[in-house]
Amino acid sequence: MQAIDETTASQDRRAPVSIIYEWLTTVDHKKIGLMYIAFALFFLLVGGVEALLIRIQLMVPNNHFLSPQVFNRLFTMHGTTMVFFAGMPILFGFGNYLVPLMIGARDMAFPKLNAFSFWISAFGGILLYFSYFGGSGLYAAGTAPDVGWFAYAPLTSKVFSPGHSTDYWSLSLFLSGIGSIGTALNIVTTILCMRCKGMTMTRLPLLPWLYLVTSGLVFVAVGPLSAAQIMLTLDRYLGAHFFDTQAGGSAVLWMHFFWIFGHPEVYILVLPAFAFANEIIPVFSRKAMFGYPAMVAASVAIGFVSLSVWAHHMFTVGMGPAGNTFFVFATMVISVPTGIKIFNWLATIWGGKISFAVPMLFCIGFLFQFLVAGLTGIMLSAAPFNWQLNNSYFVVAHFHYVLVGAILFALFGAFYYWYPKVTGKLMNETLGKWHFWLMVVGFHLTFDFMHIPGILGMPRRIYTYEANRGWQGWNMIVGVGGVIQAVAILCFVYNLISSYRHGEDAGTDPWDAWTLEWATQSPPPSYNFAIEPTVASRRPLWDLKHPEDPDSDYE
Amino acid sequence: MSTPVSGVPINQSEIEWRLPYRGTIGMGCLILAESAVFIIFVVAYVYYLGKSLNGPTPSQVLELPILGTICLLSSSVTAHLAVSALRKGNLRSCTANLAGTVLLGLIFLCTTAREWYHLIHDEHLTIKTNLFGTTYYALVGLHATHVVIGLVLLFTAFVFALAGRVKEEHLEKLDVLSIYWHFVDAVWVVVFLVVYVLGR
Ligand code: HEM
Ligand SMILES: [Cu+2]
């Protein structure tokens, strides 16, 4: 204990250069996790600013705040940034930080690969934004990609997309893909090969379980994306014809390839959010998770089914009745395991001694908003309905309901929940509540009302519109909601920084939780656990605190 | 501040606790991801069969690469023999089999190179010519890239073995390498069937 204090003290006195050097060269899973999170938060802010600019442009009809070209670049960069450089890295960051701690390991299975994966993903993000300078020159604010985040062919061919902006797009995705596969490989290997004594797969906490499923999806979904990027790059550099419709190539094949990746990708993003809820909800309801085996089975089922539904993004390309019917059914089947999960969360809360601390508030928000998002998803999966609303703002509202309403909310919950572990300080509750309520109000103003212009026929990616369409009032509300969310996020960022300086001391286990990460100091020492733990149940810390009534007696 | 409670002390006397070797699991994951990549390229090849707007067609220019295939498949056997030799502690046989694997792999690469030379110079088929050229070079080229990577690794292992640095404790590592090599071979079987048998 004393030795540890001495090392931390001497670290504080070190020159900043050597501290920076240490971070840049670290292979410690906790530091890499934090770098992932910092990198992703930065891109979250960048993507957020892009979103605000888009909404300001659409707030009033006939607006010329942005030029059409800049607008195209903004929504492309916004989507790409949020999915690849905010969403995935932040979830991998949490995974990196938490998985070894929760399974009682000292590090990841391949620490060097871990650092490599992080840096190559980070480089991908930098490369994407470098396109602003490197595309085809610096003038007119550069040439960021403007082909949309799904980059449909033949828009990406040399003819329609001259210069190099699309190359930057596809190379940066390729690099981040390598990073994602590396991290996923590491997470799977860590979970399967590094568990502490006694942690059988049936005692594995749900968070590692879900990261296992997520990583499985990364292998089978990101591979195809990388393959498609190779093909696109061959088309653009070597004159190949994969997606060149003039030479018999097929634009629909690109759609298939993209969505074979794209749909599982949304589950790659949402499963970690489930994972956070799985850890937070039981602790703040003071009850063990209801239906652990069903939770695991449902997650695995979601993983498998999500691989067979990609073409529900393509009902309008003319797949014919047989294809459409198959993908309608496959999509609707997803709601069964999803429903099981929602039921289990509710059953865990039911009759519990609920404490409405900030992490729990965010999880409750997550639950309801995810439910609504699932419902609009099922609506969209009905082909006739989809024909009406495909590529309208209704779709945009649906997926933002998941991405913001579910994923971002669960993520905020996770921040408040694990911040004390990472820093040793609690986050400020009052500011946290402000953050939560502003976020709820802003979110619902934005995304509830966004469904309506969609139903009224407003297409997505429209640059501006006439005043007589009946869309402007709704767009005004949506824009205002966006601004409120921005304020909420500023609250959060302020809280992150100020709590680090002035926050209350957290101790090792501020929430009286049950999983192993709370068994070590906050922040954890570089070797995580002084003695490698041994577990005998799913809630090792419960067993420790209640020797008279341990869980292990019931297993 | 409460004291840290590292090492949850639960009475569980020496339970048997064995976990899989991390190299094997890691390689399994890599193979899963790589399979997904190859499937996409194979699908593209099959999807564009016969859709080229101009010649040449596969049946006009492709010949069955019998020699290369035999060499590559037997190199899987030698790779396997190298691992089992090491398991038995027979270092000389291990080294010899590694050398054989590298050699057979090199012969395979040469046959591919010869085929490409023939296609480009005599048949004027490049990646630009038509959809067949595009998908053919992409798929076969992707496979050849994997062969090259595998050969570099195998050659490194061979050099270490020659220098007497390979010991029995490296068995698991060599095994992981051989798994990768078997995977590359298995992919070739698919490529062979799709490109040279079905495609013609
Ligand atoms: C309950 C399960 C879900 C169902 C049934 C469902 C259904 C659908 C359908 C049918 C579409 C196609 C709409 C169209 O383009 O016409 C769609 C789009 C989309 N969904 Fe979902 N969804 C579900 C969950 C999710 C989740 C969990 C996420 C994200 C984490 C998500 C994100 C998206 C995105 C990003 C799009 C739009 C893609 C684009 O066109 O850019 N969905 N969803
Ligand atoms: Cu989908």
Side-chain angles (χ1 to χ4, degrees), chain A residues 109-110 185 188-189 192-193 195-197 199 219 223-224 227 238-242 246-250 508 519 521 531 534 544, chain B residues 2 4-10 12 14 17 19-20 22 25-26 29 33 36-37 40-41 47-48 53 127-128 131 134-135 138:
Chain A
F110 306 108
L185 185 154
V188 171
T189 314
L192 293 185
C193 307
R195 279 165 289 140
C196 69
K197 239 182 182 182
M199 184 165 287
F219 301 138
L238 297 185
H241 306 294
F242 281 107
Q246 295 298 301
S250 163
T508 55
Q521 292 160 287
I531 312 161
T534 308
L544 186 74
Chain B
S2 54
V5 280
S6 312
V8 186
I10 279 149
Q12 248 200 359
E14 292 316 297
W17 192 242
L19 293 168
R22 57 180 94 163
I25 301 286
C29 296
V37 174
I40 295 296
F41 277 86
Y47 182 83
Y48 284 138
L53 301 183
I127 199 167
K128 277 186 186 170
L131 281 173
T134 295
T135 50

Side-chain angles (χ1 to χ4, degrees), chain A residues 83 149-150 152 258-259 262-271 274 309-316 327 330-335 338 370-371 373-382 385-387 389-392 394-396 398-403 406-407 460-461:
Chain A
V83 171
W149 89 286
F150 42 50
Y152 278 172
F258 186 85
W259 288 115
H263 186 81
E265 168 67 14
V266 303
Y267 282 91
I268 292 171
L269 294 174
V270 85
L271 288 173
F274 292 173
V309 303
W310 75 88
H312 66 210
H313 297 269
M314 303 165 57
F315 285 135
T316 50
F327 286 105
T331 306
M332 291 192 174
V333 163
I334 286 237
S335 54
T338 314
F370 180 64
L371 182 66
L375 294 178
T376 54
I378 295 292
M379 288 161 79
L380 284 173
S381 70
F385 188 84
N386 190 290
W387 284 340
L389 290 171
N390 179 262
N391 272 340
S392 77
F394 190 89
V395 172
V396 182
H398 153 71
F399 69 78
H400 281 88
Y401 236 85
V402 197
L403 295 167
I407 299 175
R460 69 196 291 191
R461 298 181 176 166

Side-chain angles (χ1 to χ4, degrees), chain A residues 523-545:
Chain A
S526 60
Y527 44 83
N528 289 354
F529 299 97
I531 312 161
E532 272 199 49
T534 308
V535 299
S537 80
R538 276 175 209 144
R539 298 193 298 169
L541 263 58
W542 170 278
D543 293 359
L544 186 74
K545 292 171 200 159

Side-chain angles (χ1 to χ4, degrees), chain A residues 210 213 267 271 274 278 291 293-306 309 329-345 370 378:
Chain A
L210 277 153
V213 179
Y267 282 91
L271 288 173
F274 292 173
N278 285 337
M295 248 5 205
V296 172
S299 313
V300 177
I302 287 181
F304 277 106
V305 182
S306 73
V309 303
F329 273 109
T331 306
M332 291 192 174
V333 163
I334 286 237
S335 54
V336 177
T338 314
I340 293 177
K341 290 192 152 258
I342 293 189
F343 173 80
N344 282 350
W345 283 318
F370 180 64
I378 295 292

Side-chain angles (χ1 to χ4, degrees), chain A residues 57-141:
Chain A
Q57 164 65 22
L58 292 174
M59 257 178 165
V60 289
N62 288 318
N63 196 359
H64 296 286
F65 167 64
L66 303 171
S67 77
Q69 190 52 256
V70 169
F71 185 79
N72 289 352
R73 288 178 183 144
L74 278 178
F75 71 66
T76 304
M77 293 298 264
H78 166 74
T80 310
T81 306
M82 286 305 201
V83 171
F84 294 98
F85 301 109
M88 294 243 268
I90 209 164
L91 300 169
F92 281 144
F94 272 90
N96 243 310
Y97 198 97
L98 293 173
V99 164
L101 284 170
M102 291 181 90
I103 63 173
R106 293 217 162 113
D107 205 333
M108 298 282 270
F110 306 108
K112 283 182 195 150
L113 174 68
N114 205 12
F116 170 78
S117 308
F118 165 73
W119 286 108
I120 197 154
S121 302
F123 184 67
I126 295 167
L127 191 67
L128 182 68
Y129 276 85
F130 187 74
S131 65
Y132 267 110
F133 307 102
S136 22
L138 244 180
Y139 67 96

